[in-house]
Amino acid sequence: MATLNLLAEPVVPCFVAGKILATSKTYPLVDPHSGQHLYDVSAASVQDALSAVEAASTALPAWKATSLMERRAIFLRAATILRERTAELAELEFRETTSSGGWSGFEMGLALEVYAIEELAAASTALRGEIAPSHAGQRAYLTRVPYGVVFAMAPWNAPMTLGTRSVANPIMAGNTCVLKTSEFSPKVHTSIAQIFLEAGLPAGVLNVVHVDPKDAPAVAEAVIAHPAVRKVNFTGSTRVGRIIAEMCGRHLKPSTLELGGAAPFVVLADADLDFAANAALFGGFFHSGQVCMSTNTVIVHESVAESFCQRLQAHLPTMKAEANSPALRGVFSTTSAQRLDTLVDDALDKGAKILTGTRHVENNLVQPLVLTGINKDMRIFHEEIFGPIITVVTFKTEEEAIATANATEYGLAAAVYGKDTSNAYKIASQIEAGMVHINGATIHDAQQMPHGGVKSSGWGRFNGLEGSPFCLPCRSPPISDISFSGLKEFTQIKTITINDPHKFPV
């Protein structure tokens, strides 16, 4: 049993080479609702972060030589630990972030049942090699090998799930990792290291560094530039994703980027309006609209727009800070709240109307709104909202609906509602998004379906045969039914040929 308890430390520690890393500076973490000081967080310098890379590099040869059965045993122990501490860790997430109590508990279930730990332990057969057809007298073996050290950067908005996703898949594939935590959820991300520490993961395989936001550009640049770092994955905003992509490009490092979204939600004339309105509200307000797949713009046929909007008005939620309220909690910062208010200001100044909801911003609490009369001159049409606001536009022709859905720079998720699913499929196939759900919410992802975006929503895929498992909000199929794994994104194919003796012409 591990003697270290990283979560009990008075200052949230960095964790490098199986030990607490002392840093020369800290930064404060405050409660996003009350502004009260929660605790201080160790802040890694560039040199501290590079020491984490060196620890990962040192641990790599032994770790990649371990058998899949050894890795599987560690992951199964980690799953048991997470299951036993679900309530404790959900409470930690609630205190540290703006996650509601319900979302926090749900998120722990995602991390445990749906996404990396247990499924990766069951799906390691994805790393098996293949024999490729070749010439007479030659056998060609295709093997999957790890990249090396993977630099992972995870966000706060689903910290356990997305933090685990960023490191568990690479580690199971034989890589070692350096995890840079979100400054908004450092202790939740540290708990991932605690779980794997107690599960018996060798020292240096997973290293965790916290970084003062002011130092993040320099730290990221130094880590990506390090020769031992051979793969980068980042989940977060498109703005930061562009910076990471540029760094990776300069240093020739492959990356997997899941970035922002501005999901369109098309309601056709033949849609079931009750189901469509329910899904639009869910997609727009789940987790206070702070999901990359959140519904931004509802594009509804003019013949059913009035009836559809009446249904939206009837079920609008409210926002509060309390844990046990059915309401939404606040957005992740007062800066984010102010930005949302600015987006609404711009829209109202340019002709938008409030369909339902009360415009009110207090600290980080933004009351949910539905806006109509939206046009393409408004910032709120083009930008990722990332808050509890839904906009509504109408269309006459399906061509107009498709053009509106494709008018932003984003392309992560979308939805189309219509009873004629063949026609809905035709429209879905023309929407520029990594995933389009017919008669389903924009917030939906399942492990058997590749997850990722097009355009400014990033590249690479999680989930499915080529990506890493993650399911939101559905549950996974039984482990015995899983015939794929999310490991291939973090491996490369290596070809080895064995040749019969033969002469070359000289």
Side-chain angles (χ1 to χ4, degrees):
M1 179 64 65
T3 55
L4 271 181
N5 184 351
L6 303 174
L7 304 184
E9 293 293 318
V11 175
V12 183
C14 295
F15 179 67
V16 174
K19 299 178 290 187
I20 290 174
L21 175 70
T23 62
S24 61
K25 64 181 289 189
T26 62
Y27 70 86
L29 187 71
V30 299
D31 184 310
H33 287 102
S34 67
Q36 295 180 339
H37 179 263
L38 293 176
Y39 30 74
D40 290 327
V41 183
S42 296
S45 66
V46 167
Q47 192 55 50
D48 293 331
L50 293 180
S51 73
V53 175
E54 294 293 342
S57 181
T58 299
L60 179 64
W63 179 247
K64 71 179 181 180
T66 58
S67 71
L68 292 176
M69 293 303 294
E70 291 175 87
R71 299 176 205 167
R72 172 186 167 88
I74 292 170
F75 273 63
L76 289 175
R77 287 195 293 271
T80 298
I81 295 166
L82 177 54
R83 185 182 297 108
E84 291 171 349
R85 297 185 188 168
T86 291
E88 169 194 340
L89 294 173
E91 175 64 22
L92 170 61
E93 179 176 335
F94 173 80
R95 293 197 313 269
E96 188 170 67
T97 71
T98 57
S99 297
S100 67
W103 169 269
S104 298
F106 171 71
E107 220 250 302
M108 296 302 142
L110 289 177
L112 175 66
E113 297 178 17
V114 180
Y115 154 69
I117 293 176
E118 285 190 323
E119 183 186 322
L120 284 181
S124 56
T125 53
L127 296 179
R128 67 176 55 157
E130 301 175 32
I131 300 176
S134 189
H135 302 293
Q138 181 185 75
R139 286 163 288 167
Y141 296 91
L142 309 183
T143 61
R144 290 203 162 268
V145 298
Y147 277 93
V149 177
V150 174
F151 181 37
M153 291 164 279
W156 67 269
N157 59 331
M160 181 60 76
T161 304
L162 299 181
T164 307
R165 179 180 78 175
S166 72
V167 297
N169 293 275
I171 288 171
M172 188 64 181
N175 303 278
T176 55
C177 287
V178 175
L179 170 62
K180 180 206 162 293
T181 67
S182 167
E183 66 271 27
F184 298 107
S185 57
K187 189 170 275 193
V188 176
H189 282 158
T190 301
S191 73
I192 299 168
Q194 182 69 38
I195 288 168
F196 276 111
L197 171 67
E198 295 183 26
L201 191 70
V205 175
L206 174 58
N207 306 274
V208 177
V209 294
H210 316 292
V211 180
D212 188 314
K214 298 189 295 293
D215 300 329
V219 169
E221 175 80 40
V223 172
I224 292 171
H226 194 290
V229 172
R230 299 310 313 161
K231 173 85 172 182
V232 175
N233 76 76
F234 171 81
T235 300
S237 71
T238 294
R239 180 186 67 82
V240 176
R242 293 183 196 278
I243 297 170
I244 299 301
E246 187 272 335
M247 291 179 181
C248 290
R250 273 192 288 111
H251 299 291
L252 291 179
K253 304 295 174 75
S255 60
T256 300
L257 306 177
E258 187 204 314
L259 308 178
F265 186 106
V266 179
V267 181
L268 301 175
D270 68 336
D272 184 311
L273 298 184
D274 288 321
F275 283 114
N278 170 264
L281 290 169
F282 171 81
F285 297 137
F286 191 41
H287 198 20
S288 303
Q290 297 174 116
V291 182
C292 58
M293 299 169 281
S294 292
T295 299
N296 269 31
T297 304
V298 177
I299 306 165
V300 57
H301 193 272
E302 60 182 12
S303 67
V304 296
E306 182 177 355
S307 182
F308 177 82
C309 286
Q310 289 172 352
R311 287 164 168 81
L312 294 182
Q313 289 174 297
H315 300 288
L316 190 75
T318 56
M319 179 176 284
K320 297 181 181 178
E322 289 81 4
N324 298 318
S325 168
L328 307 173
R329 293 187 84 203
V331 296
F332 72 99
S333 70
T334 55
T335 301
S336 177
Q338 292 162 4
R339 172 186 168 273
L340 291 168
D341 201 40
T342 300
L343 289 179
V344 174
D345 253 339
D346 176 75
L348 295 177
D349 287 346
K350 294 174 181 175
K353 304 295 182 185
I354 296 176
L355 171 70
T356 186
T358 300
R359 185 184 178 192
H360 182 72
V361 176
E362 182 180 356
N363 298 321
N364 71 323
L365 296 180
V366 181
Q367 292 303 323
L369 290 175
V370 179
L371 303 180
T372 59
I374 302 299
N375 62 59
K376 296 178 183 177
D377 293 330
M378 301 172 183
R379 287 178 55 197
I380 204 165
F381 177 86
H382 293 281
E383 296 184 21
E384 179 180 25
I385 296 174
F386 211 69
I389 302 170
I390 296 173
T391 65
V392 179
V393 301
T394 61
F395 70 92
K396 293 182 179 181
T397 68
E398 291 176 353
E399 291 75 19
E400 182 184 354
I402 294 165
T404 302
N406 291 336
T408 75
E409 68 173 310
Y410 298 102
L412 186 60
V416 178
Y417 264 75
K419 293 178 181 176
D420 182 348
T421 54
S422 294
N423 185 55
Y425 185 90
K426 181 187 72 173
I427 292 168
S429 66
Q430 298 176 73
I431 294 177
E432 297 166 348
M435 46 200 157
V436 184
H437 307 293
I438 296 172
N439 296 329
T442 57
I443 299 181
H444 174 76
D445 191 17
Q447 57 202 6
Q448 63 268 33
M449 299 182 297
H451 176 83
V454 299
K455 302 193 293 188
S456 294
S457 291
W459 55 64
R461 290 293 183 268
F462 294 99
N463 295 10
L465 190 63
E466 300 304 325
S468 32
F470 171 50
C471 181
L472 178 64
C474 64
R475 292 175 61 87
S476 65
I479 287 177
S480 60
D481 292 344
I482 297 168
S483 59
F484 54 85
S485 175
L487 308 180
K488 291 185 177 180
E489 181 76 13
F490 297 97
T491 62
Q492 300 180 90
I493 294 177
K494 181 175 184 177
T495 301
I496 299 175
T497 66
I498 299 178
N499 300 272
D500 293 343
H502 62 286
K503 292 183 177 181
F504 292 94
V506 292

